[in-house]
């Protein structure tokens, strides 16, 4: 397999460009250390693209993404563009079309709270003495958000609004396969989250997930109703390894998971399409958080979410797993050494308050050893 890779880099707005600089420097060091190359094409997206060429997702950007092995995305949006029509806004106008265009149906959101950062989690620290490491696999292109019919009408002098939750067996099967495969690379435990006591979609979900489990006999599969899953996440997050769920439940649970992890600045995400014949996925990789306009331009944003997005990209789209692991280890080492951006800093003994660039450099130093 070629080790000369190509990615499209879409830094976007707010803190996006600031944290992207650090992520690309980390990528440079990983390339040199592990002997591969990653050509980058930098493209306009979001508010920056609206300002420059009048569209949040210019055709040149789509073309560059098409010609690449993966997309490294920063973040888009901000107060400057909030008054545009919803479909012209940076998030709706860029993220959703990219997901749709490239068929990115699987959203992988790790929720990690490192042992050294449990104080940043709102969960009682005695419940998570060793932190936690959960991976949420959310179906991203189906379910109630996209089901038809959807709309509103007048009925008996009243107004009713309706959405349709619909899942096909093939949609459930492909997302479950991604979740089982992810579990195989971790602790081999998968929780499937549904509402099978009420929803027909969930009954099918449970049946198909149980069927897919036969191909992964080493993975321990359990099923949880979504209300129970929401409770268990705050009560004992360290009991989870991988979680798989539909679009609506995944939207809510992955944000709950981000919240209990402590800081959005630590969490990457991946949106993947079909697995290729070489075992790799086309995907888009981005921090779980947004463009953080409240701290943009101040040089204090945490670059770790963007740097860990590079690690996910290397693993899932480029097949450079060794480099991915080394970047993750370097992030852990920087945190263990006491480096803290403002979102993590508490002033405790042993902590050093770091700017975006200083945190990036600490990770590069750890990676270079
Ligand atoms: P946000 O995630 O941008 O910010 C929420 C809070 O988390 C803020 O206090 C912010 O400072 C903090 N935060 C986020 N990332 C951080 C980091 N790396 N380091 C330190 N602190 C960090 O969410 P929001 O304020 O609701 O949205 C701001 C803008 O971002 C909006 O325009 C929204 O539409 C957009 N947004 C974009 C994406 C995306 O590009 N995928 C996702 C969510 C929101």
């Amino acid at each position: 397999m070629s080790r000369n890779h190509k990615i499209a880099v879409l830094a976007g707005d707010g803190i996006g460009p600031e944290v992207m600089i650090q992520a690309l420097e980390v990528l440079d060091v990983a390339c040199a250390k592990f002997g591969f190359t990653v050509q980058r094409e930098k493209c306009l997206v979001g508010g920056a693209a609206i300002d420059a060429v009048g569209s949040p997702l210019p055709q040149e950007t789509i073309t560059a993404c098409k010609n690449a092995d993966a997309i490294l995305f920063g973040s888009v949006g901000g107060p400057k563009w909030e008054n545009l029509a919803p479909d012209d806004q940076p998030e709706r106008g860029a993220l959703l079309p990219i997901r749709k265009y490239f068929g990115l149906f699987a959203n992988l959101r790790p929720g990690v709270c490192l042992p050294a950062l449990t104080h940043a989690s709102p969960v009682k620290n005695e419940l998570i003495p060793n932190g936690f490491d959960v991976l949420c696999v959310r179906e991203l292109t189906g379910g109630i958000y996209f089901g038809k019919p959807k709309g509103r009408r007048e009925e008996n002098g009243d107004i009713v609004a309706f959405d349709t939750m619909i899942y096909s067996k093939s949609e459930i099967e492909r997302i479950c396969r991604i979740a089982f495969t992810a579990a195989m690379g971790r602790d081999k435990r998968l929780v499937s989250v549904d509402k099978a006591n009420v929803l027909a979609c969930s009954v099918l979900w449970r049946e198909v997930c149980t069927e897919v489990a036969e191909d992964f006999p080493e993975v321990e599969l359990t099923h949880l109703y979504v209300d129970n899953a929401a409770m268990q996440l705050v009560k004992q997050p360290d009991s989870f390894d991988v979680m798989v769920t539909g679009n609506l439940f995944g939207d809510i649970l992955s944000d709950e998971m981000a919240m209990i992890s402590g800081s959005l600045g630590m969490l990457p995400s991946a949106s993947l399409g079909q697995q290729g014949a070489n075992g790799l996925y086309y995907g888009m990789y981005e921090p779980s958080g947004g463009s953080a306009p409240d701290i943009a331009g101040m040089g204090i944003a945490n670059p770790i979410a963007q740097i860990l997005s590079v690690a996910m990209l290397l693993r899932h789209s480029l097949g450079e797993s060794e480099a991915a692991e080394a970047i993750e280890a370097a992030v852990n080492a920087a945190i263990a050494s006491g480096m803290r951006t403002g979102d993590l800093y508490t002033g405790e003994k042993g902590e050093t308050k770091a700017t975006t660039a200083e945190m990036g450099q600490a990770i590069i130093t750890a990676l270079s050893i």
Side-chain angles (χ1 to χ4, degrees), residues 3 33 67 140 186 222:
R3 298 190 72 204
K33 182 167 178 172
N67 293 333
L140 201 56
R186 296 171 46 108
T222 46

Side-chain angles (χ1 to χ4, degrees), residues 267-313:
L267 303 176
S269 77
S271 301
L272 308 180
Q274 291 288 6
Q275 193 174 27
N278 57 4
L280 301 175
Y281 299 88
Y282 186 85
M284 176 164 77
Y285 301 83
E286 59 177 322
S288 289
S291 57
D294 52 334
I295 57 166
M298 297 164 74
I300 58 169
N302 188 343
I304 289 180
Q306 192 74 62
I307 290 168
L308 290 176
S309 299
V310 168
M312 291 188 90
L313 182 154

Side-chain angles (χ1 to χ4, degrees), residues 4-330:
N4 298 317
H5 311 288
K6 194 172 175 188
I7 63 171
V9 176
L10 282 57
D13 308 316
I15 61 168
E18 300 168 40
V19 292
M20 190 63 87
I21 291 172
Q22 302 307 319
L24 294 178
E25 282 187 21
V26 169
L27 179 59
D28 283 337
V29 176
C31 287
K33 182 167 178 172
F34 292 95
F36 61 93
T37 65
V38 179
Q39 191 188 327
R40 304 106 201 241
E41 183 156 358
K42 294 187 180 169
C43 309
L44 285 168
V45 75
I50 295 174
D51 289 353
V53 296
S55 155
L57 185 63
Q59 184 54 47
E60 300 83 69
T61 299
I62 299 177
T63 306
C65 293
K66 250 178 22 189
N67 293 333
D69 302 314
I71 305 167
L72 183 62
F73 197 93
S75 50
V76 291
K80 187 174 175 192
W81 305 281
E82 263 168 24
N83 294 327
L84 294 173
D87 285 345
D88 296 335
Q89 289 196 10
E91 259 189 285
R92 284 265 287 270
L95 278 171
L96 299 188
I98 291 178
R99 282 181 196 160
K100 195 168 168 202
Y101 190 90
F102 293 102
L104 307 179
F105 66 88
N107 188 220
L108 271 54
R109 292 253 312 244
V112 178
C113 181
L114 296 174
L117 298 179
T118 51
H119 61 80
S121 170
V123 175
K124 275 191 201 143
N125 281 201
E126 61 262 34
L127 295 177
I128 46 169
N130 302 313
F132 54 85
D133 179 354
V134 189
L135 175 68
C136 179
V137 179
R138 166 190 171 193
E139 201 289 326
L140 201 56
T141 53
I144 195 161
Y145 292 172
F146 298 99
K148 300 268 171 58
K150 159 193 285 294
R152 62 163 73 193
R153 64 169 175 256
E154 244 185 83
E155 216 171 81
N156 304 325
D158 203 354
I159 299 174
V160 296
F162 48 94
D163 299 279
T164 302
M165 183 182 266
I166 181 161
Y167 268 118
S168 65
K169 183 177 176 187
S170 56
E171 278 177 308
I172 301 169
E173 192 180 328
R174 66 182 186 175
I175 190 76
C176 287
R177 282 197 184 280
I178 286 197
F180 275 103
T181 305
M184 281 299 289
R186 296 171 46 108
D187 204 30
K188 301 190 173 64
R189 291 180 294 120
L190 177 64
V191 173
S192 172
V193 177
D194 63 40
K195 190 72 183 164
N197 51 343
V198 181
L199 298 174
C201 272
S202 286
V203 173
L204 180 65
W205 184 281
R206 210 173 257 225
E207 277 169 24
V208 175
C209 191
T210 306
E211 227 174 274
V212 174
E214 287 171 20
D215 292 342
F216 298 87
E218 287 175 57
V219 177
E220 177 196 308
L221 170 68
T222 46
H223 302 275
L224 276 188
Y225 294 138
V226 61
D227 36 359
N228 192 11
M231 291 190 279
Q232 297 309 320
L233 256 184
V234 287
K235 194 172 158 221
Q236 41 178 0
D238 58 355
S239 68
F240 290 90
D241 178 26
V242 182
M243 176 191 298
V244 63
T245 190
N247 206 344
L248 172 64
F249 302 154
D251 191 0
I252 298 163
L253 291 179
S254 59
D255 272 1
E256 182 188 353
M257 215 177 63
M259 186 65 221
I260 61 169
S261 297
S263 173
L264 273 175
M266 295 291 295
L267 303 176
S269 77
S271 301
L272 308 180
Q274 291 288 6
Q275 193 174 27
N278 57 4
L280 301 175
Y281 299 88
Y282 186 85
M284 176 164 77
Y285 301 83
E286 59 177 322
S288 289
S291 57
D294 52 334
I295 57 166
M298 297 164 74
I300 58 169
N302 188 343
I304 289 180
Q306 192 74 62
I307 290 168
L308 290 176
S309 299
V310 168
M312 291 188 90
L313 182 154
L314 289 169
R315 176 175 293 120
H316 297 293
S317 287
L318 306 188
E320 301 288 354
S321 295
E322 215 187 331
E325 274 161 36
I327 290 174
E328 286 158 357

